[in-house]
Amino acid sequence: KESVPIILSNGAFGSQFEPIVGLYSYPSYGAFDPTTVMGVFYILIFGLMFADVGYGLTLTFGCLLGLKLMRPKESLARFLRMFAMCGVASMVGGALFGGYFGDMPTRIMEDFLGIEKAPDMALCFNMIDNPILFLVISLAMGALHLLTGMAIKFGITVRDGHPVAAVFDVGSWFILFAGIGLYFVFPTAGMICALIGALMLIFSQGRAEKNPIMKLLKGILSLYDIVSYGSDLLSYSRILALSLASAVIANVVNIFGAMGGPGIGGVISMTLAFLLGHTLNFAVNILGTYVHTSRLQSSNFSENSLRTADVNLYRLHRIQSIRSLNNQFNQGRKEKWESFHQFLPVRISHCSAPHLRQYSPAAEAQRASESSVRRLPGCSPRILQSSAARSFFRRSPELRESTASLPHS
């Protein structure tokens, strides 16, 4: 079975997060594209992990300045715009939980201005003083994230013509989780609700088996998946871990900076601590936040909503195949073909053979004759062996020579 090349197309907001989807896997042909939904949660989780007004302001200002001065290529510009939005979320998180380059306002007021008891800068609460409450918020965000992924999976299953599977494979878990949550408010009602969800799983998850004993046994074993859901939820405790690590290191830096006292020595020490300590803390924690936030998005949406693709060409709205583009050309839509051709192929992830290279538009024919094109590392040539793919590439005079030796399927 051939894997169809896909392109992603999202709005001004969602398109900035397409590189995050591409870090792990792109959606396959006909699958749901979670980029926009994922972008919303990416910003929210990033803002909790990197909750500091000063660091968020630095991140946003630095990214916007980079966009203005560097005039980067689109791939880098997307990252800069994405991080600029994440910086705004970090400023909101810092204002809520009291992060202003750690506790720098408190240190200045108490150690330099002589104020005995500086007011708390947090609008909600200070995460260092109330780590358990912040852990609850982190897990609540994780629960919302996981349930959103499950809801997407439910909708996809119904769309694909399997409403019964959607109700029993996904809806049963919704009922079970609702019962568990309800138990802490109304114990009896919660227990009944959770029991209904568990019975739905027991009597439905073995429906593919012919042996009635295996049907029941497989249904009972399906309840073990609650351990997997629990471990996924606990993985969101990393939100607390990263935010606390950033805040505590920032506070330690401020303590060192305030050791010089209220005089000129204190000003110098605080300036050095700010330039060295906070710069290092910013660099280390921005990297950790980026990695862990991306990992949470991938683990949730890949499991719940994605069938991954082998090939990505450039951008996608309805995921289109090479054959449909070839048909558009045959129908005389030359303008649309030519506008698409200038981007093709910007990236091809699972097609290779020595015959396919990474192309830049018109100059590629000349470079091909000089054997200077860059070869993509080894992957299956099965996509390029289809008649539609051969026809697609041979429509272009610049690419005809490089694809002439492709084998027939």
Side-chain angles (χ1 to χ4, degrees):
K1 183 180 179 180
E2 290 184 351
S3 297
V4 181
I6 58 100
I7 50 177
L8 293 172
S9 176
N10 293 280
F13 172 80
S15 61
Q16 313 310 319
F17 297 88
E18 289 177 5
I20 303 299
V21 177
L23 285 176
Y24 297 95
S25 58
Y26 285 92
S28 65
Y29 174 79
F32 174 76
D33 177 12
T35 306
T36 301
V37 179
M38 188 204 69
V40 173
F41 280 101
Y42 194 96
I43 288 178
L44 292 175
I45 294 174
F46 193 103
L48 289 175
M49 283 189 182
F50 204 58
D52 190 285
V53 174
Y55 291 166
L57 181 62
T58 302
L59 179 61
T60 299
F61 180 77
C63 290
L64 295 179
L65 189 63
L67 286 170
K68 182 70 174 179
L69 299 180
M70 295 168 54
R71 300 184 182 276
K73 294 182 179 180
E74 181 61 22
S75 57
L76 178 57
R78 287 184 179 184
F79 270 105
L80 292 176
R81 288 191 288 265
M82 180 191 75
F83 279 121
M85 290 186 284
C86 290
V88 174
S90 297
M91 286 189 277
V92 174
L96 292 176
F97 306 116
Y100 295 84
F101 290 109
D103 62 346
M104 180 169 283
T106 301
R107 293 272 69 81
I108 292 175
M109 284 187 283
E110 292 182 356
D111 297 330
F112 289 88
L113 302 180
I115 300 175
E116 292 186 2
K117 184 64 176 177
D120 193 349
M121 302 292 291
L123 297 179
C124 291
F125 63 89
N126 192 301
M127 72 174 75
I128 295 180
D129 297 334
N130 298 278
I132 300 302
L133 182 55
F134 194 80
L135 175 62
V136 172
I137 293 176
S138 302
L139 295 180
M141 175 59 69
L144 179 61
H145 195 208
L146 291 171
L147 291 175
T148 301
M150 293 174 61
I152 292 173
K153 183 177 181 179
F154 184 94
I156 292 172
T157 308
V158 172
R159 183 201 65 181
D160 292 343
H162 307 289
V164 174
V167 170
F168 286 103
D169 295 345
V170 183
S172 301
W173 287 107
F174 273 114
I175 296 173
L176 178 58
F177 294 150
I180 294 174
L182 193 60
Y183 178 81
F184 295 98
V185 183
F186 303 104
T188 303
M191 190 177 298
I192 293 173
C193 186
L195 181 60
I196 292 173
L199 290 175
M200 289 176 65
L201 288 168
I202 290 173
F203 291 107
S204 68
Q205 296 307 291
R207 61 185 182 274
E209 302 290 336
K210 295 182 178 180
N211 189 315
I213 297 177
M214 290 301 298
K215 284 179 182 286
L216 182 61
L217 182 60
K218 193 169 182 179
I220 294 173
L221 290 176
S222 69
L223 294 176
Y224 187 76
D225 287 343
I226 197 169
V227 176
S228 176
Y229 282 110
S231 64
D232 289 342
L233 180 61
L234 288 176
S235 70
Y236 287 84
S237 61
R238 72 184 75 187
I239 296 176
L240 169 68
L242 269 78
S243 59
L244 274 182
S246 176
V248 169
I249 294 174
N251 288 359
V252 171
V253 169
N254 293 334
I255 291 173
F256 279 114
M259 284 182 175
I264 187 64
V267 174
I268 295 174
S269 63
M270 181 61 80
T271 303
L272 291 175
F274 182 86
L275 293 177
L276 299 178
H278 284 294
T279 300
L280 179 61
N281 188 35
F282 176 89
V284 171
N285 284 285
I286 193 69
L287 177 61
T289 302
Y290 165 70
V291 170
H292 286 284
T293 306
S294 301
R295 182 72 187 94
L296 288 174
Q297 306 304 317
S298 172
S299 61
N300 183 29
F301 288 111
S302 292
E303 292 175 4
N304 286 298
S305 61
L306 292 185
R307 295 190 298 271
T308 59
D310 285 340
V311 184
N312 175 55
L313 292 180
Y314 186 60
R315 298 168 55 91
L316 153 136
H317 169 48
R318 275 182 336 264
I319 302 178
Q320 297 177 323
S321 67
I322 281 180
R323 182 171 283 108
S324 68
L325 291 170
N326 188 43
N327 291 338
Q328 290 176 13
F329 182 79
N330 291 334
Q331 292 166 11
R333 302 178 184 176
K334 190 172 182 180
E335 295 80 10
K336 185 171 183 179
W337 171 268
E338 290 176 347
S339 66
F340 182 81
H341 175 267
Q342 65 179 318
F343 297 106
L344 178 72
V346 174
R347 173 181 174 186
I348 297 184
S349 59
H350 276 66
C351 22
S352 77
H355 313 293
L356 187 63
R357 327 280 195 210
Q358 184 169 351
Y359 296 98
S360 61
E364 190 55 44
Q366 182 178 357
R367 290 207 301 272
S369 63
E370 299 170 356
S371 301
S372 61
V373 281
R374 189 155 53 89
R375 179 175 175 178
L376 286 176
C379 22
S380 169
R382 62 186 182 279
I383 293 299
L384 303 176
Q385 293 174 0
S386 68
S387 58
R390 288 199 313 277
S391 176
F392 177 81
F393 287 107
R394 288 173 181 167
R395 293 287 183 188
S396 169
E398 295 91 341
L399 308 186
R400 186 179 297 117
E401 182 180 350
S402 295
T403 59
S405 57
L406 282 176
H408 290 272
S409 57

